Amino acid sequence: GVIHNGRTAFPAACDALARLREAGKHVVLLTNIPKPRGPIPAQMQRLGVRRDAWDVIVTSGDAIRAELAARAPGPMFKIGPEHDHTLWEGLGLAQSALSEATFIGISGLNSDEETPEDYADILQQARARDLELLSANPDIVVRYGDKLIWCAGAIARDYAALGGRVVMAGKPLASSGRVAKVAFTG
């Protein structure tokens, strides 16, 4: 289920999870946030997610980091906002222009105002060079309050539609949150 909308927690969902824990069940929060789990408990607290509502958090950022590190030193063409910087930290990846990159790493669109169409030329160039795209978030869109924001999964979807190679981590992939090579259909 969903426990927040990006701005505030859903109290009934948090209450239900806390009751499960009181009944002796373990609660694992799976999130497609493209960051390691380190700062996520504090973020959940800011949103109002009760600390007694979960036992552990697993992020898509954690799941993709080993794949990213395996490609070090790159160089990597990075797509994603500055606030996702923790995804890339400590991996030893050099960043470069697309023309020099050996793969693309994406945590999200560079700004909330952009759309997948803004990346069409980049994807065409990457496909012409047969670059692999590693996506730290399979979500197509995410709700932030009353607004829908495009996510890395939309770019991965569009790249796969061009015949590009995509490696992705997160839910609801059949790999149960592990890294998977995916092909979008539909």
Side-chain angles (χ1 to χ4, degrees):
V2 178
I3 61 170
H4 67 81
N5 69 1
R7 288 193 175 185
T8 186
F10 298 133
C14 295
D15 292 345
L17 294 176
R19 286 192 306 274
L20 281 170
R21 289 188 72 230
E22 288 171 7
K25 305 295 181 189
H26 297 284
V27 175
V28 177
L29 298 183
L30 300 175
T31 175
N32 282 342
I33 194 158
K35 298 177 183 178
R37 78 179 65 89
I40 306 310
Q43 180 178 341
M44 292 293 164
Q45 183 179 6
R46 283 191 304 276
L47 294 172
V49 176
R50 297 169 38 177
R51 180 56 190 95
D52 66 340
W54 54 273
D55 292 294
V56 68
I57 297 173
V58 177
T59 73
S60 60
D62 284 327
I64 199 73
R65 281 180 56 88
E67 288 289 325
L68 289 165
R71 287 158 178 80
M76 169 186 74
F77 180 74
K78 181 186 87 63
I79 301 172
E82 180 54 37
H83 62 80
D84 288 342
H85 65 90
T86 57
L87 174 66
W88 319 106
E89 288 178 347
L91 297 177
L93 288 168
Q95 294 182 26
S96 71
L98 183 61
S99 61
E100 303 299 320
T102 58
F103 73 97
I104 299 172
I106 181 169
S107 62
L109 281 64
N110 290 325
S111 106
D112 290 348
E113 289 71 40
E114 291 180 322
T115 69
E117 291 78 29
D118 294 321
Y119 292 84
D121 288 340
I122 290 171
L123 297 182
Q124 289 286 347
Q125 292 173 46
R127 181 63 188 106
R129 296 190 54 230
D130 193 31
L131 296 181
E132 190 173 51
L133 183 142
L134 277 69
S135 176
N137 181 344
D139 288 339
I140 305 297
V141 295
V142 67
R143 181 168 296 283
Y144 184 71
D146 294 334
K147 184 178 179 182
L148 290 177
I149 298 171
W150 290 102
C151 294
I155 304 302
R157 174 201 64 200
D158 293 353
Y159 194 56
L162 294 173
R165 296 177 293 131
V166 174
V167 176
M168 193 161 11
K171 58 180 173 68
L173 299 175
S175 63
S176 300
R178 294 187 316 258
V179 175
K181 293 183 180 174
V182 297
F184 289 89
T185 59

